[in-house]
């Protein structure tokens, strides 16, 4: 059984389409973690037939992912796909990624928008923000992925059992890579398409991540 | 007496009043209360008789009494800040765990 875990915060505009897209591609276990949304995210996700877990207050994307991961583990998932709730990923990418992942025998798959040329990446992101993020990741994790800030991941059950996300905010992405490295888990990168609706986290979001990472280094 | 001394003395009396209030409301343990009372009284002594810090300063090898106060205050502040941050992080983590368990529970009761 493969579970698709989607953290969602105020995504009533997009979550319905995302869930329908996954069902249309044959994915049955769609777990939406509503991270304390003030809109109708939960109601819409339930109406579309997804399994919905609701955080009563907003705890951040990392916290929502961890909730989804634990739920999937408790309900017997053999692998979990991390997917986005705002429609930035393409559901057609999952099947080939899973096949390549299972064939590879690796423990973790990281999606990358740089391994093919489908993603239309704004140039500031492509040439400035993401390269900076990539090197910051390298400093904190010793990992140099082609795409350090990509929320598309697949993890085996065995990998999930060793990865506990404690970074509730957006720094979970770096944390996951650090944990993969610490646990000595094998991994691969795989091309996925990213469609840009908005600018994403923007520069201040990046500063917040760096702040979280420094805190992590100093106090954990 | 300098105006600053009067202002500070009033502030210390206010602070001691707060400590006493917290103890009465049982929000602060007697041990912590004693610490804070001693702390504010010592601060009062230093303000009323500034030469006490000069004596300590001379003994510690620091030039001026006021410098000793600043150094010690900074050291204590950073230590307290560190403890607060650690505690706050623990609170955040516990809060997340609580929210998560509630989400699981809600899910089970909704099936």
């Amino acid at each position: 059984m493969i579970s698709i875990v989607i953290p969602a915060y105020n995504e009533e505009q997009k979550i319905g389409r995302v869930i329908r897209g996954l069902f249309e591609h044959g994915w049955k276990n769609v777990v939406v973690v509503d991270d304390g949304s003030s809109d109708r995210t939960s109601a819409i996700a339930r109406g579309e037939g997804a399994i919905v877990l609701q955080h009563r207050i907003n705890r951040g994307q990392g916290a929502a992912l961890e909730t989804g991961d634990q739920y999937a583990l408790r309900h017997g998932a053999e692998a979990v796909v991390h997917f986005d709730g705002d429609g930035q990923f393409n559901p057609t990418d999952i099947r080939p990624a899973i096949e390549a992942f299972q064939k590879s025998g690796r423990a973790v798959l990281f999606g990358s928008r740089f391994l093919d040329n489908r993603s239309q990446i704004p140039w500031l992101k492509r040439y400035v923000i993401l390269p900076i993020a990539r090197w910051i990741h390298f400093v904190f994790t010793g990992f140099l992925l082609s795409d350090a800030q990509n929320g598309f991941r697949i993890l085996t059950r065995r990998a999930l059992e060793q990865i506990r996300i404690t970074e509730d905010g957006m720094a979970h992405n770096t944390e996951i890579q650090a944990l993969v490295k610490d646990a000595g888990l094998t991994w691969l990168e795989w091309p996925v398409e990213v469609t840009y609706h908005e600018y994403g986290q923007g520069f201040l979001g990046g500063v917040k991540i760096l702040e979280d990472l420094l805190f992590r280094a100093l106090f954990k | 007496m300098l105006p600053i001394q009067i202002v500070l003395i009033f502030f210390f009396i206010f602070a001691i009043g707060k400590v006493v209030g917290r103890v009465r409301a049982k929000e602060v343990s007697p041990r912590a209360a004693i610490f804070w009372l001693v702390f504010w009284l010592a601060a009062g002594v230093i303000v009323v008789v500034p030469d006490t810090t000069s004596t300590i300063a001379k003994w510690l090898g620091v030039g001026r009494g006021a410098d000793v106060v600043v150094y010690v205050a900074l050291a204590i502040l950073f230590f307290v800040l560190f403890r607060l941050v650690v505690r706050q992080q623990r609170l955040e983590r516990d809060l997340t765990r609580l929210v998560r368990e509630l989400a699981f529970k809600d899910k089970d009761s909704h099936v």
Side-chain angles (χ1 to χ4, degrees):
Chain A
M1 180 179 116
I2 291 163
S3 290
I4 317 286
V5 169
I6 308 173
Y9 180 57
N10 290 341
E11 295 287 6
E12 64 177 8
Q13 304 286 338
K14 290 173 180 143
I15 192 74
R17 198 155 44 94
V18 171
I19 296 166
R20 277 198 299 281
L22 291 166
F23 282 141
E24 278 161 18
H25 285 81
W27 302 106
K28 291 187 194 77
N29 297 291
V30 177
V31 179
V32 171
V33 183
D34 174 6
D35 190 22
S37 298
S38 54
D39 66 2
R40 299 183 62 248
T41 297
S42 276
I44 291 169
R46 244 179 233 121
E48 293 290 346
I51 298 161
V52 178
L53 293 155
Q54 227 171 336
H55 281 182
R56 294 198 191 185
I57 50 176
N58 180 250
R59 296 305 298 155
Q61 197 181 73
L65 275 175
E66 178 63 22
T67 299
D69 286 351
Q70 287 191 21
Y71 181 87
L73 277 181
R74 289 182 191 189
H75 289 78
E78 286 131 32
V80 165
V81 179
H82 288 170
F83 206 71
D84 218 276
D86 71 358
Q88 67 164 307
F89 293 134
N90 185 343
T92 55
D93 278 339
I94 299 178
R95 181 84 52 200
I98 291 263
E99 282 167 10
F101 181 55
Q102 285 171 339
K103 221 169 102 189
S104 75
R106 309 274 168 92
V108 182
L109 177 146
F110 293 110
S112 171
R113 68 201 106 170
F114 295 115
L115 297 181
D116 63 19
N117 50 18
R118 287 180 296 159
S119 303
Q120 302 292 313
I121 305 164
W123 79 265
L124 186 65
K125 257 203 149 155
R126 177 184 284 260
Y127 295 109
V128 182
I129 295 176
L130 289 168
I132 292 172
R134 190 171 173 230
W135 285 99
I136 290 174
H137 272 248
F138 179 67
V139 169
F140 281 95
T141 66
F143 248 128
L144 203 53
L145 295 178
S146 68
D147 188 355
Q149 293 285 345
N150 194 307
F152 187 103
R153 306 176 196 90
I154 309 176
L155 303 99
T156 60
R157 184 178 185 84
R158 194 174 59 84
L160 276 177
E161 281 164 351
Q162 294 177 70
I163 290 177
R164 282 277 161 279
I165 304 170
T166 62
E167 284 296 338
D168 290 343
M170 299 305 287
H172 67 269
N173 194 36
T174 310
E175 184 185 25
I176 291 172
Q177 291 167 36
L179 292 172
V180 164
K181 189 164 189 259
D182 291 348
L185 296 167
T186 52
W187 54 275
L188 75 157
E189 284 193 290
W190 187 258
V192 295
E193 183 181 2
V194 175
T195 308
Y196 290 89
H197 300 291
E198 288 146 30
Y199 202 70
Q201 311 183 45
F203 180 71
L204 286 177
V207 172
K208 174 80 181 95
I209 294 174
L210 190 55
E211 186 195 323
D212 285 351
L213 290 173
L214 286 172
F215 253 77
R216 179 182 169 72
L218 286 174
F219 293 108
K220 286 189 181 170
Chain B
M1 212 177 228
L2 299 167
I4 182 71
Q5 288 177 304
I6 295 162
V7 171
L8 283 174
I9 294 293
F10 272 107
F11 175 72
F12 295 158
I13 291 169
F14 165 78
I16 287 171
K18 279 277 168 197
V19 173
V20 171
R22 292 303 98 184
V23 176
R24 286 228 177 107
K26 298 209 153 86
E27 286 170 21
V28 169
S29 72
R31 211 176 51 150
I34 288 168
F35 168 81
W36 284 109
L37 287 178
V38 169
F39 180 84
W40 292 121
L41 287 174
V45 170
I46 287 169
V47 166
V48 177
V49 196
D51 280 349
T52 44
T53 56
S54 301
T55 314
I56 300 170
K58 224 173 263 166
W59 182 66
L60 286 174
V62 182
R64 288 187 315 169
D67 290 345
V68 173
V69 174
V70 171
Y71 297 158
V72 171
L74 272 180
I76 292 173
L77 273 180
F78 273 105
F79 179 71
V80 170
L81 184 69
F82 171 78
R83 285 193 41 153
L84 277 178
V85 168
V86 169
R87 196 166 301 180
Q88 191 235 355
Q89 297 241 322
R90 196 192 310 147
L91 270 176
E92 293 261 347
R93 195 168 308 172
D94 289 348
L95 183 59
T96 296
R97 272 171 45 194
L98 209 58
V99 167
R100 183 168 295 136
E101 287 309 317
L102 271 176
F104 292 146
K105 240 188 171 151
D106 290 348
K107 176 78 197 125
D108 290 342
S109 58
H110 273 155
V111 169

